Structure formats: structure tokens, C-alpha cells
């Protein structure tokens, strides 16, 4: 099942999208505070939600779209979410999100086909808990990492996307400090 949304980019500021993943029923206690400061227009959850109640605090901050992860039951949501962002100046970004899309630092064949099918610019995934930003051809692949229980030695991170006329950025944020995270 695929959920598709079209969203207008605000004309007065960049569109801020928080990307979270792998909450496993327990988001980091500082996650909501950091996200509140960012004030995202939209939150994307790339799967492994666990108990669906974990989504409520995020839904209170902004519209939250989530895909089902491998630990989530069949009724937990769609396998794929597509989001098309548009502004008044013909600027457009097409995002496709699914839970499993990477094999190490490479985009899996099935994920490439999915991205191609939706003519996506950006592929978002979760699953590995490893923060990742890479590019294969014209496709950008992004895994925000995990904001769920720590898996040493991995950091606890989420993603911040910003899109607008003359401005776009993709970064990881350290969930413990609220500061940009770099490997």
C-alpha cells in the first residue's frame, strides 16, 4: 500500500521536514524538545514504530506520515509514502519513503526501482539505525538513523530537511545535543 501527499512549500520560509526512524516504541526523551525548537512543517517516520502510541507526541507537533517497518504489524500503515513538495515558482521535490532501502552504503535494487517508479529525487529509509546520506546517480538516499533505544556504538540521530527557493539542505541532528551530527 502507498500513501501519496502533495504539500505546498511555504512562500515566506523554507519547508522544514523532520525525519525520524526506528523508535521501537520508545523515542529518546529529548527528541520532542529538539523538534519543538525546529518547528517542522512535517514529520516523516521511516518505520519500526513499535507501539503506535509513540507517534502521538510527534503528531502534536506537526503532521506525521509514517511507513510500516519490519517490526510493525500489517495494519501499522503503508509500506511506501510519497510526498511531492511544490512552491509557486515551479520548484518541486519528490520524496519516496520506505523502511528498507539500503544494503550498506548502496541503494538496493528494489528501492531504486521504487524511486524510479515515483520519479523521486530523494529516497528516505530507516532499518539499519545507521545515519546515512549518499547519492547514486541523481537519486539522494537518506537514513536519519534511530531515535529509539541506543544500539552501541551507533549515535541517536534524526534528520532535518529544508527546501525552498534558492535553499535546500539535508542534515543529521544529534538527538542528545540538538546540534548537527557529523560522522
Amino acid at each position: 500500500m502507498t500513501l501519496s501527499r502533495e504539500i505546498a512549500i511555504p512562500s515566506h520560509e523554507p519547508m522544514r521536514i523532520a525525519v525520524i526512524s526506528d523508535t521501537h516504541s520508545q523515542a529518546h526523551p529529548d527528541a520532542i524538545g529538539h523538534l519543538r525548537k525546529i518547528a517542522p512543517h512535517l514529520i516523516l517516520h521511516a518505520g519500526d514504530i513499535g507501539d503506535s502510541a509513540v507517534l502521538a507526541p510527534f503528531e502534536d507537533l506537526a503532521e506525521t506520515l509514517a511507513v510500516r517497518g519490519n517490526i510493525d504489524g500489517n495494519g501499522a500503515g503503508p509500506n511506501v509514502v510519497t510526498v511531492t513538495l511544490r512552491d509557486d515558482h515551479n520548484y518541486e521535490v519528490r520524496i519516496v519513503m520506505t523502511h528498507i532501502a539500503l544494503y550498506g552504503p548502496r541503494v538496493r535494487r528494489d528501492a531504486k526501482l521504487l524511486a524510479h517508479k515515483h520519479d523521486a529525487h530523494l529516497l528516505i529509509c530507516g532499518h539499519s539505525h545507521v545515519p546515512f546520506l549518499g547519492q547514486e546517480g541523481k537519486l539522494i538516499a537518506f537514513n536519519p538513523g534511530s531515535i529509539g533505544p541506543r544500539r552501541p556504538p551507533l549515535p541517536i540521530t534524526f534528520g532535518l530537511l529544508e527546501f525552498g527557493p534558492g535553499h535546500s539542505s539535508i542534515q543529521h541532528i544529534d538527538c542528545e545535543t540538538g546540534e548537527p551530527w557529523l560522522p
Side-chain angles (χ1 to χ4, degrees):
M1 178 171 85
T2 299
L3 171 68
S4 296
R5 292 288 316 276
E6 290 193 18
I7 299 173
I9 296 173
S11 60
H12 59 284
E13 64 182 336
M15 175 86 168
R16 287 181 307 284
I17 301 172
V19 184
I20 62 177
S21 188
D22 296 279
T23 48
H24 292 269
S25 302
Q26 184 182 349
H28 188 278
D30 295 334
I32 293 297
H34 293 311
L35 290 173
R36 188 174 287 115
K37 289 177 189 173
I38 290 169
H41 297 96
L42 178 67
I43 298 173
L44 299 176
H45 192 303
D48 277 0
I49 298 160
D51 183 347
S52 63
V54 77
L55 293 176
F58 300 106
E59 292 168 335
D60 288 343
L61 289 178
E63 178 180 9
T64 302
L65 304 175
V67 294
R68 177 176 49 229
N70 59 293
I71 71 158
D72 302 319
N74 286 338
N79 292 322
V80 176
V81 169
T82 66
V83 178
T84 302
L85 307 172
R86 286 194 178 96
D87 72 5
D88 296 336
H89 308 287
N90 297 323
Y91 177 78
E92 181 177 278
V93 177
R94 290 179 300 283
I95 300 168
V96 65
M97 179 172 64
T98 191
H99 183 58
I100 301 173
L102 297 174
Y103 183 74
R106 305 291 300 172
V107 177
R108 292 168 39 133
R109 185 178 186 325
D110 57 334
K112 284 181 192 179
L113 293 171
L114 177 68
H116 180 72
K117 173 183 173 184
H118 293 284
D119 198 22
H121 300 107
L122 175 61
L123 171 66
I124 293 174
C125 65
H127 186 60
S128 70
H129 297 225
V130 177
F132 179 80
L133 175 60
Q135 187 166 353
E136 284 193 30
K138 293 182 180 181
L139 180 66
I140 296 171
F142 183 69
N143 184 327
S146 170
I147 65 164
R150 182 179 300 281
R151 287 190 178 176
L154 299 174
I156 301 173
T157 59
F158 63 92
L160 177 60
L161 315 176
E162 290 187 326
F163 299 106
H167 174 81
S168 64
S169 67
I170 301 174
Q171 63 180 318
H172 291 96
I173 305 294
D174 185 309
C175 200
E176 295 173 304
T177 67
E179 299 296 321
W181 178 87
L182 296 172

